[in-house]
Amino acid sequence: MTKRIKGSCTTILVGKKASIDGSTIISRNDDGHEALDPERFVVVNPADQPRHYQSVISKVQVELPDNPLRYTSIPNSILTNGIWPAAGINSDNVAMSATETITTNSRVMGIDPYVDGGIGEEDLVTLVLPYIHSAKEGVERLGALLEKYGTYEPNGIAFSDHDDVWWLETIGGHHWAAKRIPDDAYVVAPNRMNIDTFDFDADDTLASADLQAMIDQYNLNPDFDQVNLRHIFGSATIKDTVYNNPRAWFGQKYFTPDVTQDPMEQDLPFICHANRKISIEDVKFVLSSHFENTKYDPYGSGSETDKTLFRPIGINRNHDVHILQIRNNVPATVAGIHWLAFGANTFNTVVPFYANVNDTPASYKNADGNFNLNDMYWLSCTTALLGDTDYDLYVDFRNTFALEAMGAYRKIQNDTDAAIADQADPTAFLAQANDQLAAESLKRQTKLLGDMVIMGSEHMKLRYNLND
């Protein structure tokens, strides 16, 4: 098998009654193993979807159906390790984000080892998203593929439609379990197994057919009085206490501030309830966060030990952040919104692209391995790099930029929503709106970078107080 490329992400899920406008939301930071790995935003039309698929990493071959749906995608620009589509929304307004790398334990690996020639993060969106008509169908299709082909890694995968949000976690080489997120709940999922309490007989759970029997046969349950999949199949390591748990803690602290928890706690809850309705801006803040207003903030005033103790959510290895929103208060034509930003999330802002299109704007789809400030990927990465050199100096520029940019994007979105009913060709009209959004984004991100350069030049160390 080709060398496996590892990523490490953070996921946020929001049920329709927990969001501010009745939308379902699945979102994720697509974090990589390197600081830079260019990505593109594209649409895969049915004619471009393969019928015979072969993975680059595992070499697995899968025959695909002849009736794929169109879908948005965020593939790698450099395809050495395969496509890695990351996430998208299909033409039936079903969304998928894959994957959140999770954890396991030796007991599971001794029963159902990984499959070197199986499927993995490189493959999942391509194999599933074009063929599903609901979130639950996504769980069922992926579950069947895992049972047939196996997987070489542990992953968490999110699905949503206008009613439901589902979360699936792989278990060993061939097993899996999934849970529907309650409508009034949210989830913050870092790189560990996240599902905790689980009822195999409930209407809101699905699992591989023999999973419960496997637990009993191999004496896997450490608890006396419950079935907790994190305890049974996951980890509770020292690494979890500094790499994973603090991210869940900070997200839960932000959404539910009246609950007091320890950032290293191994049993932070999977299903949570916020003290208010959750907005896109809330989700973006958490996915960009670095433990603000705590001693653990790398940009803060804590000790060097505290500032480097925990792995932040916003990090230099953020390649994109996507927030996939399926709206319920608008026509189905404009219901799917693929919010997107590239680069380290501390100095970017998400743009609400309509998913019901046949193509994407050039500045978001053309990035390659060559540095080019006309590509949003490279422009965003450059802004984040400069911002990192003096966060306190540049943060107000960032705050003003984010506020004004999001206002401008929402104005374009509101105008587009209002006009959609009068359009003879809504798909072409939405493509024009996406072009307008991309142009506004490129303009505003370029201005932010320029303002930072102008301000920062006055603070360079290479200066002298006496002028000629």
Side-chain angles (χ1 to χ4, degrees):
M1 186 172 75
T2 301
K3 181 181 178 182
R4 178 186 161 203
I5 304 301
K6 297 181 180 181
S8 54
C9 311
T10 308
T11 293
I12 296 177
L13 315 173
V14 183
K16 63 184 179 182
K17 292 182 179 179
S19 69
I20 196 169
D21 63 352
S23 302
T24 61
I25 298 171
I26 62 175
S27 61
R28 182 169 60 92
N29 285 348
D30 185 12
D31 302 344
H33 62 294
E34 301 289 351
L36 296 177
D37 193 356
E39 291 186 345
R40 306 164 59 229
F41 177 47
V42 304
V43 172
V44 181
N45 289 290
D48 301 321
Q49 173 72 2
R51 272 44 174 190
H52 173 80
Y53 177 84
Q54 179 169 342
S55 167
V56 171
I57 293 177
S58 72
K59 313 303 181 187
V60 67
Q61 298 185 50
V62 181
E63 298 302 321
L64 296 174
D66 286 329
N67 57 342
L69 300 171
R70 183 193 66 216
Y71 61 102
T72 58
S73 173
I74 323 169
N76 285 358
S77 298
I78 301 168
L79 302 180
T80 306
N81 295 294
I83 301 171
W84 291 67
I89 302 173
N90 72 23
S91 53
D92 270 5
N93 287 328
V94 180
M96 177 182 182
S97 180
T99 69
E100 182 78 29
T101 303
I102 61 172
T103 54
T104 188
N105 61 58
S106 59
R107 297 180 296 281
V108 179
M109 299 313 301
I111 300 165
D112 184 12
Y114 293 137
V115 179
D116 281 350
I119 58 177
E121 182 170 355
E122 175 198 344
D123 320 303
L124 300 186
V125 171
T126 304
L127 299 182
V128 176
L129 184 57
Y131 310 103
I132 58 176
H133 307 278
S134 71
K136 187 175 181 180
E137 274 190 34
V139 171
E140 293 168 338
R141 176 170 174 81
L142 178 53
L145 289 168
L146 290 166
E147 291 170 20
K148 180 175 181 179
Y149 295 99
T151 184
Y152 53 82
E153 60 185 0
N155 282 313
I157 300 94
F159 298 95
S160 64
D161 54 37
H162 72 99
D163 276 330
D164 298 334
V165 175
W166 280 83
W167 176 253
L168 180 151
E169 293 186 325
T170 67
I171 296 167
H174 301 87
H175 292 82
W176 57 276
K179 192 164 187 173
R180 182 186 181 276
I181 308 308
D183 292 340
D184 63 349
Y186 74 89
V187 166
V188 180
N191 299 118
R192 62 170 299 172
M193 188 153 194
N194 292 281
I195 298 175
D196 47 25
T197 57
F198 196 83
D199 180 355
F200 282 94
D201 297 322
D203 293 335
D204 63 352
T205 63
L206 292 167
S208 44
D210 62 339
L211 188 65
Q212 188 170 14
M214 186 174 80
I215 294 171
D216 295 336
Q217 178 182 353
Y218 290 97
N219 303 305
L220 296 178
N221 191 354
D223 295 315
F224 294 107
D225 57 355
Q226 66 172 335
V227 174
N228 183 313
L229 298 191
R230 191 188 306 167
H231 293 172
I232 296 169
F233 298 117
S235 62
T237 64
I238 298 302
K239 180 178 179 180
D240 287 326
T241 67
V242 295
Y243 195 84
N244 291 317
N245 305 345
R247 285 182 277 157
W249 164 78
F250 188 83
Q252 293 177 15
K253 174 182 170 66
Y254 179 78
F255 291 126
T256 319
D258 52 326
V259 176
T260 301
Q261 300 174 136
D262 189 300
M264 293 188 175
E265 170 61 46
Q266 299 282 22
D267 280 324
L268 293 170
F270 175 59
I271 301 296
C272 300
H273 296 84
N275 71 342
R276 62 191 183 282
K277 294 181 179 180
I278 296 172
S279 68
I280 295 295
E281 286 84 352
D282 289 328
V283 174
K284 174 59 167 67
F285 173 79
V286 174
L287 289 176
S288 304
S289 61
H290 40 88
F291 307 117
E292 288 93 325
N293 292 333
T294 77
K295 63 182 180 180
Y296 309 113
D297 185 354
Y299 294 133
S301 57
S303 69
E304 288 305 308
T305 299
D306 286 335
K307 291 195 294 184
T308 58
L309 182 59
F310 298 149
R311 188 267 206 206
I313 299 174
I315 198 170
N316 66 325
R317 295 185 282 109
N318 298 145
H319 295 157
D320 79 69
V321 53
H322 52 265
I323 304 173
L324 308 183
Q325 179 187 28
I326 310 298
R327 300 186 292 170
N328 281 305
N329 59 350
V330 296
T333 308
V334 294
I337 303 295
H338 189 136
W339 295 82
L340 180 65
F342 292 123
N345 293 329
T346 308
F347 282 88
N348 64 20
T349 189
V350 285
V351 180
F353 291 113
Y354 290 93
N356 183 19
V357 293
N358 295 320
D359 201 359
T360 52
S363 59
Y364 277 78
K365 75 173 181 180
N366 289 340
D368 56 22
N370 299 307
F371 180 83
N372 185 346
L373 288 179
N374 293 314
D375 294 325
M376 273 304 302
Y377 176 84
W378 288 110
L379 177 60
S380 298
C381 291
T382 303
T383 311
L385 178 62
L386 179 57
D388 186 71
T389 63
D390 195 334
Y391 179 81
D392 289 339
L393 179 65
Y394 297 122
V395 66
D396 278 346
F397 285 98
R398 190 278 313 273
N399 292 341
T400 300
F401 155 75
L403 176 64
E404 294 178 350
M406 285 294 285
Y409 306 152
R410 286 195 176 277
K411 180 63 167 62
I412 294 170
Q413 185 183 53
N414 290 335
D415 291 346
T416 303
D417 287 351
I420 193 64
D422 300 325
Q423 304 305 314
D425 187 347
T427 301
F429 179 69
L430 295 179
Q432 293 174 3
N434 283 355
D435 286 341
Q436 186 181 359
L437 286 161
E440 189 73 22
S441 172
L442 188 70
K443 178 184 75 175
R444 289 180 177 276
Q445 190 83 31
T446 300
K447 182 180 184 302
L448 172 62
L449 178 61
D451 290 344
M452 291 167 63
V453 168
I454 292 168
M455 169 63 77
S457 296
E458 297 295 329
H459 296 266
M460 291 175 63
K461 293 180 181 179
L462 194 65
R463 66 180 187 272
Y464 198 68
N465 290 333
L466 297 179
N467 294 326
D468 293 336

